[in-house]
């Protein structure tokens, strides 16, 4: 199961429901790969919808998933879609195309 940037859009209650639903829809041993915004920063730039490591660990564990890897990472984001947000952080790290690096969690888990 691949979740690319949905988890951080949900409330805590919705996250628990979502993880329970994914658990119900999969078989034991199924793999879950998730990318979600992190509560860390890159160049002082926070993610717009930050999620803590503790939130991920607690929610997945309670939902019947064993985390096999949880690592910080970077997502290259197009600033045009969030220009007002990004311009508040003048030290944000960007590339030669004007894209910024956003902090994310890279999560791998296995259904128990």
């Amino acid at each position: 199961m691949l979740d690319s940037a949905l988890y951080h859009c949900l409330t805590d209650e919705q996250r628990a429901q979502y993880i329970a639903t994914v658990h119900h829809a999969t078989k034991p041993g199924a793999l879950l790969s998730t990318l979600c915004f992190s509560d860390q920063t890159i160049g002082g730039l926070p993610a717009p919808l930050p999620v803590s490591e503790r939130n991920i660990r607690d929610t997945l564990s309670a939902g019947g998933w064993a985390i096999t890897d949880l690592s910080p990472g970077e997502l290259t984001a197009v600033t045009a879609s969030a220009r007002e947000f990004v311009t508040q952080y003048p030290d944000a790290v960007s590339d030669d195309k004007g894209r910024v690096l956003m902090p994310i969690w890279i999560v791998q888990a296995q259904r128990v």
Side-chain angles (χ1 to χ4, degrees), residues 26-44:
T26 57
K27 295 180 180 180
L31 301 177
L32 172 64
S33 297
T34 302
L35 301 176
C36 73
F37 283 140
S38 165
D39 59 349
Q40 299 180 351
T41 63
I42 298 175

Side-chain angles (χ1 to χ4, degrees), residues 98-109:
R99 300 173 298 191
V100 294
L101 299 179
M102 301 291 280
I104 61 168
W105 292 116
I106 303 167
V107 185
Q108 304 290 321

Side-chain angles (χ1 to χ4, degrees), residues 46-69:
L49 300 167
V51 176
S52 70
E53 178 179 355
R54 175 62 32 218
N55 176 278
I56 294 168
R57 290 190 182 282
D58 290 350
T59 304
L60 268 65
S61 175
W65 294 87
I67 294 175
T68 57
D69 187 45

